[in-house]
Amino acid sequence: KQNCSLAGILQHPDGTVLKQLQPPPRGPREQEFYNKVYDSNCCDSVLLELREYLPKYFGVWSPPTAPNDTYLKLEDVTRKFNKPCIMDVKIGQKSYDPYASAEKIQQQVSKYPLMEEIGFLVLGMRVYHVSSDSYETQNQHYGRSLTKETIKEGISKFFHNGYCLRKDAIAASIRKVEKILEWFEGQEQLNFYASSLLFVYEGSYQATTMRLSDVTLAEKRGVPKGLLSGGDILEYNNNIHVINATENGKIEASVGKGLSKFYALHKKAYSKRPHSQLSLKVETLEQDVWKSSACIAQEHLNGNVLPQLEKVFCHMPAELKETPAVEVRMIDFAHVFPSNTKDEGYIYGLKNLITVLQNILDN
């Protein structure tokens, strides 16, 4: 079960996430932004393209027990991943909007004085470490501690799984950020402040093993044969977990490990008022299913297979690997305003972030 206390982010049983509306004017402004972009009558090509870079929006939702509490109902971008690695990066040279008071400006600048120069700020990350089968989490303090000299190392931490640097995920992330940059270069109607990019990539070797072109290597190293042929194959490429037919005929995605948990770890609550004590039952895929015979047994991961996978998967050139499971989406729109100029602050931040990612990839 998960409840409203998770910093305004909830997991709905239907696989969406619920983001509690912030107090006015921020909450209504964010709702208005989503309504405008996802208006069924929208024929503005700029907004229609923007949808590709946002979580899908399913309107608003209120719990029956608290009809005055409003939540945005959004796609859970992490849902399709087995071991989602998640990073939230605030983009732009200013994290305050044009209508901010002098006090608010001072408060925002003092949080991260380098924002103007660097153009982005790491708000948090959660990285799956294969060796320990556990997550390492960093919060806002980590991001604010990064300087011009350490920003590259600080971001590269997100792409390191304890064994190697996931250059495939970096290359795919760069391509996705470049697409968002293209959109910003071509529009002059919206400016974004204190908005973020959410990065997600698949951290699990279980999800990448079957992507190796040399499947025979995996076979030789002790992957159960049921994985490689016959009806019990697990479709890792699109992360649909088919667990024989014996699991009561159910196919369930692993939830509760993703976005809502990530936000709970490093996002502060949006309002000081107590949240209504709503709790939602969330069915999760028990971890022991992943340790069953249908998967690569844990002892193989801890033994011979992992060094081999590291050699093959981690050290292949980024461009030769299959496109890995990576998502980059824009989130947090409480400070989006109409404009008649390019969003130069956001563009600056995107370009600088691409440069840093490219440097990590090249070195």
Side-chain angles (χ1 to χ4, degrees):
K1 290 186 178 183
Q2 303 200 342
N3 60 39
C4 286
S5 62
L6 298 191
I9 299 284
L10 274 176
Q11 185 89 43
H12 192 281
D14 67 6
T16 58
V17 289
L18 302 168
K19 178 181 180 181
Q20 188 166 36
L21 219 59
Q22 298 176 61
R26 290 171 298 162
R29 196 186 292 133
E30 182 162 37
Q31 183 182 348
E32 186 186 342
F33 169 80
Y34 275 112
N35 285 340
K36 181 177 178 178
V37 175
Y38 283 94
D39 186 335
S40 56
N41 297 318
C42 175
C43 53
D44 181 336
S45 61
V46 169
L47 298 184
L48 292 173
E49 188 193 336
L50 178 58
R51 291 179 186 179
E52 294 175 36
Y53 312 121
L54 311 184
K56 291 186 180 71
Y57 172 62
F58 303 101
V60 293
W61 179 88
S62 295
T65 52
N68 293 329
D69 284 358
T70 306
Y71 293 80
L72 299 170
K73 204 162 186 285
L74 301 166
E75 172 190 9
D76 180 357
V77 180
T78 69
R79 184 177 169 87
K80 69 179 182 181
F81 296 87
N82 174 25
K83 299 288 187 186
C85 298
I86 305 168
M87 178 170 65
D88 183 342
V89 184
K90 188 188 283 189
I91 305 290
Q93 289 178 282
K94 295 182 171 75
S95 55
Y96 54 88
D97 67 49
Y99 303 97
S101 65
E103 185 185 6
K104 179 71 173 177
I105 292 170
Q106 180 55 41
Q107 178 202 30
Q108 287 298 316
V109 169
S110 65
K111 279 183 179 178
Y112 193 57
L114 287 171
M115 196 76 182
E116 188 91 24
E117 200 172 346
I118 291 176
F120 60 86
L121 167 64
V122 176
L123 291 179
M125 65 173 72
R126 187 165 175 256
V127 187
Y128 178 66
H129 282 191
V130 181
S131 49
S132 58
D133 187 26
S134 64
Y135 281 95
E136 181 185 342
T137 302
Q138 303 290 349
N139 63 17
Q140 292 188 35
H141 299 293
Y142 172 79
R144 289 188 197 134
S145 73
L146 298 176
T147 64
K148 281 185 298 178
E149 290 71 36
T150 61
I151 193 77
K152 179 180 155 187
E153 184 187 340
I155 295 267
S156 68
K157 196 181 189 81
F158 174 61
F159 294 100
H160 205 288
N161 64 8
Y163 275 102
C164 62
L165 190 66
R166 284 287 304 278
K167 289 199 167 190
D168 60 312
I170 300 170
S173 296
I174 291 170
R175 289 192 294 271
K176 300 232 175 209
V177 178
E178 283 174 340
K179 290 291 290 178
I180 293 170
L181 175 59
E182 277 178 38
W183 181 84
F184 270 91
E185 293 280 22
Q187 70 90 22
E188 295 186 351
Q189 54 177 290
L190 293 171
N191 280 7
F192 295 73
Y193 301 90
S195 184
S196 288
L197 288 184
L198 188 75
F199 289 78
V200 191
Y201 72 88
E202 179 55 72
S204 169
Y205 270 112
Q206 292 172 343
T208 52
T209 311
M210 294 301 97
R211 308 166 88 87
L212 296 176
S213 53
D214 186 5
V215 174
T216 53
L217 175 132
E219 195 170 19
K220 282 176 194 160
R221 297 289 165 187
V223 178
K225 282 197 174 157
L227 272 178
L228 303 173
S229 61
D232 295 337
I233 226 164
L234 278 93
E235 298 283 348
Y236 287 121
N237 281 356
N238 55 10
N239 293 281
I240 298 169
H241 316 313
V242 183
I243 324 268
N244 294 338
T246 56
E247 295 287 318
N248 303 323
K250 284 188 206 164
I251 300 171
E252 293 176 0
S254 176
V255 298
K257 299 178 197 165
L259 203 60
S260 53
K261 189 167 183 182
F262 171 69
Y263 271 92
L265 289 165
H266 73 90
K267 284 267 191 186
K268 63 183 182 204
Y270 291 122
S271 70
K272 294 276 195 284
R273 67 188 175 83
H275 297 297
S276 56
Q277 288 305 303
L278 163 75
S279 62
L280 297 172
K281 186 178 177 205
V282 179
E283 294 194 55
T284 62
L285 185 61
E286 293 299 326
Q287 277 192 319
D288 58 358
V289 174
W290 286 104
K291 290 179 179 142
S292 73
S293 60
C295 299
I296 301 170
Q298 193 63 39
E299 58 265 26
H300 292 307
L301 278 182
N302 293 339
N304 293 331
V305 175
L306 213 42
Q308 296 302 323
L309 290 181
E310 184 198 350
K311 280 177 200 162
V312 176
F313 191 74
C314 294
H315 299 297
M316 283 165 59
E319 63 274 9
L320 293 183
K321 297 174 189 175
E322 285 188 45
T323 304
V326 172
E327 288 285 357
V328 179
R329 304 286 185 95
M330 296 168 62
I331 57 169
D332 295 342
F333 306 111
H335 303 275
V336 179
F337 295 91
S339 171
N340 52 13
T341 60
K342 280 189 186 177
D343 190 341
E344 297 296 351
Y346 201 108
I347 288 171
Y348 175 90
L350 288 178
K351 285 181 174 176
N352 222 16
L353 181 56
I354 289 168
T355 301
V356 171
L357 290 171
Q358 194 65 53
N359 283 340
I360 297 168
L361 190 61
D362 292 344
N363 301 312

